[in-house]
Amino acid sequence: MTLILGILSLAAVSHAGEPAPSPDAAGRIAFDLPAQPLATAVQVYAQATGQSVFFDGQLTAGLESAALHGLFTPREALQRLLAGTRLAARHTDARTFTLVEAEAPPPVVAPAPPVPAMSPRDARVVQQALERTLCRWPHARPGTYRALVQLWVGPGGHVRRTRLLSSTGLAQRDAALEAAMNTLVLDRPPEGEADQPLTVLLLPRTGDRPDVCDAAVSP
C-alpha cells in the first residue's frame, strides 16, 4: 500500500518555490495536466488540492491518467483523472481518499422473451381434445377432481411427454390421467415453441354445469 500525503509531496512534484494553486469562489482549481502515468498525476493532484491519497502502487502500474485542463472542483478533477483507468476513489473524509478497483457493473441479462398467450381458437382445440380423450378413460373421467398437468406437444399434435404437477388425490386416478394424456392428439397443435409445455388445469364440475362427457363422446 502506498501513502501519498498531498502537503508532504509538495517539494517532490512541484517546481521549487512554486505555490499550490488557490481555489476560486466556487471551490474550483485550475488544472493544466497532460496525460501521464497515473501515479504521477495523482501526486500532482494531491499537491494541488492538499488532499491525502492512499493507493497500492501495483494498482496504478502501467495505467495512464486522462489529460485535465480547466477549472474543476477536487472531486470533478479526480473523476476525470481516473476516467478509463478501472480505478475509483473511495473517500474516508473530505480530504482523504483511497484508490481502489472500480466495481464491475452487474452483467446485463436479456429478459426472457414473453410466452405468447394461447389464442381462443387454440384453447378450444385443446379443450375439445382433452374432453374427448379423458371421457374415454373411466378412471380419468373429468368433473370430479382437480389436477394440474403439463403437456409437451410435438409438431404433429401428438403429446410427447406428460408431467402431473398436482395429484388428483387418488394414485389410481393419477396413473390413469397420465396414461390418458399420453394418448392425446390435437387436431391443430398450439402455436409456439415445441419445447414450451402446455399447462392445463382440470377443475371439478360445479353447480348446474352439465357433464362434459355427455357431449364429448359420440354414441
Side-chain angles (χ1 to χ4, degrees):
M1 176 72 71
T2 301
L3 164 63
I4 295 179
L5 296 174
I7 297 175
L8 296 181
S9 66
L10 178 61
V13 299
S14 64
H15 296 294
E18 183 180 323
S22 300
D24 64 9
R28 299 175 302 176
I29 297 173
F31 291 89
D32 188 16
L33 303 177
Q36 58 189 303
L38 184 60
T40 302
V42 169
Q43 293 180 59
V44 176
Y45 170 86
Q47 177 261 319
T49 61
Q51 296 197 20
S52 299
V53 185
F54 294 83
F55 67 91
D56 187 334
Q58 291 184 343
L59 284 179
T60 59
L63 297 180
E64 189 165 286
S65 72
L68 185 64
H69 305 286
L71 287 170
F72 304 100
T73 65
R75 290 215 177 195
E76 290 172 342
L78 185 58
Q79 289 174 350
R80 289 173 178 264
L81 283 176
L82 298 178
T85 65
R86 64 168 171 75
L87 299 183
R90 179 180 295 163
H91 287 80
T92 54
D93 57 47
R95 302 185 64 81
T96 307
F97 66 89
T98 303
L99 291 185
V100 297
E101 290 193 42
E103 294 183 2
V108 177
V109 179
V115 178
M118 182 179 292
S119 69
R121 181 182 177 186
D122 283 346
R124 184 57 182 164
V125 167
V126 172
Q127 179 181 353
Q128 290 175 340
L130 281 171
E131 291 172 355
R132 285 197 307 268
T133 300
L134 295 181
C135 288
R136 293 192 179 100
W137 290 70
H139 294 297
R141 188 182 177 97
T144 61
Y145 60 87
R146 177 190 177 96
L148 188 62
V149 186
Q150 281 188 326
L151 307 174
W152 281 261
V153 182
H158 294 265
V159 171
R160 298 184 290 109
R161 182 158 66 96
T162 303
R163 181 167 64 181
L164 189 62
L165 299 180
S166 66
S167 173
T168 65
L170 294 174
Q172 184 183 24
R173 187 163 54 202
D174 289 349
L177 179 60
E178 286 195 80
M181 289 292 192
N182 285 328
T183 68
L184 182 65
V185 179
L186 303 181
D187 297 333
R188 182 175 180 269
E191 296 180 359
E193 309 228 354
D195 58 349
Q196 291 293 331
L198 175 65
T199 303
V200 177
L201 176 62
L202 300 173
L203 295 173
R205 187 172 65 254
T206 58
D208 297 330
R209 294 185 59 186
D211 188 341
V212 296
C213 291
D214 290 342
V217 181
S218 301

